[in-house]
Amino acid sequence: MLYDVILKISYEYEYAATGGRHLLRLMPAHIEGRQHLITGYLDIKPRPNERTDTYDAFNNTVSHVVYYLDHPEISFNLKARVECLTQNSGLNMSPNLAGLRTELSSINSLAPDSPYHFLGNSPRVRINAVMTSFAYTHTNDEMDAISVVENIGMALHREMTFDPDATTVETPAEEAFEKRTGVCQDYTHIMIACLRGIGIPAGYVSGFIRTIPPEGTERLEGADAMHA
């Protein structure tokens, strides 16, 4: 299926910024066997003094942007066409946690898709004893890894309350988990910490949700959203 994606992000500063440096990861990714980026264009206003488009270690497109002059506002406008490929769920062949540890120990690679990148602490996610204990209460040694992931996700869904005013982009996952409230990025950071704590590789993905309007109503542009 083909999707035409339009994303608009804008900021108005309280006081004009005297300069700036930004790393932007907004372009949809090409994921072998799952989605194909046909075309994409990122327009930035005001026009930056320097711009370099490259790829990071995980093959995400990164735009490096630098401003030397004052600017009271900034906007990022993305247009892209993406083909999403049909996925066959297939059979659940995932091992239990003990089997997963054995499989991971046999991997000797630090390639971009290596699970070792997604097992330890990272700048936004720290393995935490409280969240690890929570994860273990929703699993057992006989459950396969996919079932463990589903169980922990459903447990967080039951116990957490979505509140856009409860946290900020700087709120640690530990604080959001203690309060049992937050937004999608908090849920995701907590889930990652839970999974890594019990030895399941997990990483952060940001994408777009396509909403389906009620039957008989027109689909509204701008009704969809980015989501973690």
Side-chain angles (χ1 to χ4, degrees):
M1 182 174 289
L2 294 177
Y3 291 94
D4 288 320
V5 178
I6 299 175
L7 172 66
K8 299 178 181 179
I9 300 175
S10 61
Y11 295 95
E12 292 185 5
Y13 302 114
E14 184 175 0
Y15 302 100
T18 56
R21 181 182 296 272
H22 307 273
L23 296 178
L24 308 172
R25 291 177 173 86
L26 298 177
M27 192 67 64
H30 172 77
I31 305 174
E32 190 67 33
R34 299 187 67 89
Q35 70 179 36
H36 171 57
L37 176 63
I38 297 173
T39 186
Y41 176 72
L42 176 61
D43 180 49
I44 304 172
K45 294 180 180 179
R47 185 174 180 177
N49 298 102
E50 294 182 19
R51 174 175 174 173
T52 303
D53 295 301
T54 183
Y55 297 94
D56 66 13
F58 302 103
N59 207 35
N60 297 305
T61 301
V62 183
S63 297
H64 301 251
V65 175
V66 178
Y67 288 96
Y68 301 142
L69 304 177
D70 293 0
H71 52 287
E73 59 186 10
I74 189 171
S75 66
F76 311 109
N77 300 283
L78 170 75
K79 291 185 177 181
R81 171 163 284 194
V82 179
E83 180 183 16
C84 291
L85 307 177
T86 302
Q87 299 297 306
N88 183 357
S89 58
L91 298 175
N92 179 2
M93 303 293 289
S94 62
N96 59 23
L97 293 185
L100 179 61
R101 286 191 288 270
T102 300
E103 289 189 10
L104 291 174
S105 67
S106 68
I107 297 174
N108 299 307
S109 170
L110 289 177
D113 61 351
S114 170
Y116 293 119
H117 297 300
F118 310 103
L119 277 170
N121 293 324
S122 53
R124 293 285 184 180
V125 179
R126 312 290 294 180
I127 295 176
N128 173 277
V130 176
M131 286 185 274
T132 298
S133 176
F134 174 86
Y136 272 123
T137 63
H138 297 283
T139 184
N140 60 62
D141 292 339
E142 301 305 316
M143 291 175 62
D144 62 83
I146 290 179
S147 296
V148 170
V149 172
E150 292 174 344
N151 266 25
I152 296 173
M154 292 303 297
L156 290 175
H157 178 73
R158 290 191 300 269
E159 296 199 18
M160 298 282 293
T161 300
F162 189 91
D163 183 352
D165 299 319
T167 58
T168 71
V169 294
E170 301 298 333
T171 302
E174 296 86 350
E175 180 180 331
F177 182 70
E178 181 180 2
K179 295 178 178 178
R180 296 296 199 274
T181 187
V183 295
C184 61
Q185 69 176 16
D186 302 300
Y187 282 56
T188 303
H189 288 151
I190 292 167
M191 182 72 171
I192 292 171
C194 287
L195 295 178
R196 290 181 181 178
I198 61 175
I200 298 179
Y204 190 102
V205 176
S206 179
F208 298 95
I209 290 182
R210 180 192 177 193
T211 54
I212 307 299
E215 186 175 352
T217 62
E218 184 178 356
R219 187 168 181 273
L220 300 177
E221 181 177 333
D224 301 331
M226 292 184 69
H227 198 59

